[in-house]
């Protein structure tokens, strides 16, 4: 579904002012659902430090009147040689810059990981996104709370290095184990004693021996993590999760093991061997191994989908609404309750993880038609 850029820009403007008629709402939802890029374009309206003042002014504007004036002044004549998404961007930018004073960041695919988000009314109950939060439990039982960075390094085994938690290996506790744990709405990144970088997603735990890199390089994962493994031909790196093991020499890959019934291992670079109790396989870049009930299945995937969280994005591609909301629940530390039947419809698009929860729910409402009610850290979804 493609409409004239001027009309789409007008619908976007009316959506921001909550002035869409019933028919316009239907047209707008159809347009959003027709292409994931349309969702990203809508997201690209960025709130500014003076956003409330601007929005208050925005809500006093007569959209139809000012649109007619601006259309005549701009004399927009889209060229068939131009990308229509960009034309809409120019049109919408003109409206919002000249009429409302709110800037629009033009959509380009290269900006996917830095896309700004739609501003909301400041008085709405909202929940901020997750951030750098974790707990490091040393082999000797001592615990350090991590918020952004280590304020004071009381544990001789850890330090900060280039924005990472750096775990040194002193060998004081020969049989002890260290753990890095992230809560819901938390994530953290760490450098292991061998130089391997680990990015730990929310509600996840990584466990490794205090003698790591002295005879073996084994870690245990519960949740999700992205690994950039330091190469060591003589000492393979092994990740154990849910009765499954991944063995590598040096490579980049992501493991999602939130569910005991199903896990995903996605390879971006190098090669890895994956073993279950019943089967094993060698993965090549672009492969994803799904393990469900002990059965191993390998297929090609869009690898960006598996690492988008590390790049600060929610990225959906043919996902059901419950799959999407599972990610939302972990990142915003909320409970999801359903009223009605979710259905089997699939959705594609991306939203920045730094968006507030209400901003995310607005986007999901626009494409799915589901109604979202946020109260006391519980999101009720009504279909």
């Amino acid at each position: 579904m493609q409409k004239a850029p001027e009309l789409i820009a007008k619908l976007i403007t009316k959506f921001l002012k909550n002035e869409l008629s019933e028919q316009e709402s239907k047209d707008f939802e159809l347009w959003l659902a027709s292409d994931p890029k349309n969702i990203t374009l809508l997201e690209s309206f960025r709130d500014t430090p003076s956003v409330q003042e601007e929005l208050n002014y925005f809500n006093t504007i007569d959209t139809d009147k000012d649109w007619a004036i601006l259309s005549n002044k701009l004399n927009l004549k889209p060229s068939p040689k131009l990308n229509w998404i960009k034309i809409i961007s120019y049109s919408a930018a003109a409206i919002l810059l000249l009429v409302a004073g709110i800037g629009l960041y033009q959509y380009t695919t290269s900006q996917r990981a830095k896309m700004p988000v739609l501003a909301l009314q400041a008085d709405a109950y909202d929940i901020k996104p997750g951030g750098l939060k974790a707990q490091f439990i040393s082999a000797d039982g001592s615990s350090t709370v991590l918020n952004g960075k280590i304020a004071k390094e009381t544990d001789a085994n850890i330090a900060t290095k280039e924005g990472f938690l750096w775990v040194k290996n002193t060998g004081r506790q020969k049989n002890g184990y260290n753990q890095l744990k992230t809560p819901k709405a938390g994530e953290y990144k760490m450098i292991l004693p061998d130089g391997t970088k680990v990015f730990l997603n929310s509600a996840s735990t990584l466990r490794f021996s205090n003698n790591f890199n002295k005879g073996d390089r084994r870690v245990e994962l519960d949740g999700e993590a992205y690994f950039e493994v330091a190469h060591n031909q003589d000492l393979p790196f092994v990740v154990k999760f849910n009765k499954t093991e991944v063995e590598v020499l040096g490579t980049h890959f992501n493991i999602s093991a939130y569910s005991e019934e199903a896990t995903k291992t996605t390879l971006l670079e190098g090669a890895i061997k994956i073993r279950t109790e019943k089967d094993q396989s060698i993965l090549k870049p672009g492969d994803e191994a799904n393990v469900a009930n002990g059965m191993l299945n390998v297929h090609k995937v869009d690898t960006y989908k598996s690492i988008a969280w590390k790049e600060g994005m929610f990225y959906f591609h043919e996902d059901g609404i419950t799959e999407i909301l599972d990610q939302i629940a972990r990142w915003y530390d909320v409970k999801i309750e359903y009223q009605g039947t979710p259905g089997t419809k699939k959705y594609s698009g991306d939203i920045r993880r730094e968006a507030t929860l209400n901003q995310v729910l607005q986007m999901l409402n626009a494409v799915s038609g589901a109604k979202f009610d946020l109260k006391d850290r519980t999101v009720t979804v009504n279909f």
Side-chain angles (χ1 to χ4, degrees):
M1 175 185 177
Q2 294 187 9
K3 290 181 175 289
E6 294 91 340
L7 176 57
I8 297 301
K10 183 177 180 180
L11 290 176
I12 291 173
T13 308
K14 283 195 161 189
F15 171 79
L16 293 175
K17 293 178 61 181
N18 197 27
E19 290 182 353
L20 290 172
S21 67
E22 184 176 349
Q23 183 58 49
E24 287 172 334
S25 292
K26 292 179 180 178
D27 291 342
F28 190 60
E29 289 179 9
L30 286 172
W31 174 73
L32 283 175
S34 67
D35 192 328
K37 292 179 181 179
N38 297 343
I39 302 173
T40 306
L41 176 64
L42 182 59
E43 283 185 70
S44 64
F45 294 89
R46 172 108 176 158
D47 48 334
T48 70
S50 57
V51 66
Q52 192 56 51
E53 179 181 347
E54 292 173 343
L55 286 175
N56 289 340
Y57 173 61
F58 195 19
N59 287 328
T60 67
I61 296 169
D62 184 333
T63 306
D64 292 312
K65 178 181 177 182
D66 288 326
W67 168 256
I69 295 172
L70 280 170
S71 293
N72 291 330
K73 287 183 178 180
L74 294 173
N75 191 26
L76 296 172
K77 295 180 179 180
S79 166
K81 296 181 181 180
L82 292 176
N83 181 293
W84 72 280
I85 283 284
K86 292 183 179 179
I87 295 172
I88 293 171
S89 297
Y90 298 147
S91 304
I95 297 169
L96 296 179
L97 283 170
L98 298 179
V99 180
I102 297 178
L104 170 70
Y105 285 71
Q106 176 187 331
Y107 173 82
T108 63
T109 53
S110 64
Q111 290 174 318
R112 173 169 55 182
K114 299 180 181 179
M115 198 58 60
V117 295
L118 182 67
L120 292 177
Q121 296 290 347
D123 58 355
Y125 171 63
D126 207 351
I127 293 177
K128 292 183 178 181
L132 296 175
K133 291 181 285 187
Q135 179 184 23
F136 181 76
I137 305 172
S138 295
D140 61 8
S142 62
S143 176
T144 303
V145 175
L146 307 168
N147 288 300
K149 63 179 181 180
I150 307 170
K152 186 177 181 180
E153 295 161 8
T154 56
D155 189 334
N157 286 315
I158 60 175
T160 52
K161 183 178 181 180
E162 299 176 355
F164 287 77
L165 170 69
W166 178 35
V167 183
K168 296 178 283 187
N169 199 343
T170 65
R172 291 182 303 171
Q173 299 285 333
K174 291 186 177 181
N175 298 317
Y177 283 84
N178 303 292
Q179 295 183 78
L180 180 66
K181 305 180 71 172
T182 55
K184 287 185 177 180
E187 64 180 6
Y188 224 80
K189 52 187 181 180
M190 171 176 59
I191 299 177
L192 291 169
D194 67 334
T196 291
K197 292 181 179 179
V198 182
F199 299 77
L200 200 61
N201 205 351
S202 55
S204 302
T205 300
L206 189 77
R207 186 171 181 264
F208 58 97
S209 168
N210 202 55
N211 279 326
F212 179 89
N213 205 33
K214 295 181 179 179
D216 68 44
R217 295 194 295 169
R218 300 180 68 87
V219 300
E220 297 179 11
L221 174 66
D222 179 17
E224 183 168 23
Y226 175 78
F227 297 85
E228 295 180 358
V229 178
H231 183 79
N232 185 338
Q233 186 172 353
D234 300 322
L235 208 59
F237 188 97
V238 178
V239 184
K240 183 178 180 180
F241 56 98
N242 291 0
K243 299 180 181 180
T244 302
E245 284 190 350
V246 165
E247 179 181 322
V248 304
L249 296 176
T251 188
H252 296 185
F253 60 98
N254 190 84
I255 295 175
S256 180
Y258 284 113
S259 169
E260 293 185 1
E261 288 76 32
T263 65
K264 296 179 181 179
T265 301
T266 312
L267 181 63
L268 283 82
E269 185 179 304
I272 61 177
K273 178 188 293 184
I274 183 168
R275 293 188 296 267
T276 68
E277 293 179 325
K278 300 177 181 179
D279 204 356
Q280 69 176 23
S281 182
I282 302 292
L283 301 191
K284 298 177 181 179
D287 286 347
E288 181 174 274
N290 291 353
V291 179
N293 299 318
M295 301 300 295
L296 176 64
N297 177 47
V298 178
H299 57 282
K300 291 291 183 183
V301 295
D302 173 3
T303 58
Y304 181 76
K305 182 177 179 179
S306 71
I307 66 163
W309 67 269
K310 185 180 77 73
E311 304 298 321
M313 297 293 294
F314 294 112
Y315 178 68
F316 314 120
H317 183 69
E318 293 298 305
D319 290 323
I321 192 69
T322 57
E323 296 174 85
I324 293 172
L325 289 172
D326 283 346
Q327 294 186 49
I328 303 302
R330 284 192 295 268
W331 186 235
Y332 294 91
D333 190 12
V334 293
K335 181 180 179 182
I336 308 291
E337 293 183 349
Y338 295 97
Q339 294 183 355
T341 304
T344 59
K345 187 175 179 179
K346 303 296 184 179
Y347 303 93
S348 298
D350 52 21
I351 304 173
R352 291 188 308 124
R353 277 163 61 107
E354 65 186 69
T356 68
L357 179 56
N358 269 335
Q359 288 171 330
V360 173
L361 297 181
Q362 263 197 346
M363 303 306 300
L364 294 179
N365 165 257
V367 297
S368 71
K371 306 300 180 183
F372 299 90
D373 180 55
L374 172 60
K375 184 177 180 181
D376 299 330
R377 305 201 77 88
T378 297
V379 176
T380 302
V381 189
N382 194 321
F383 295 97

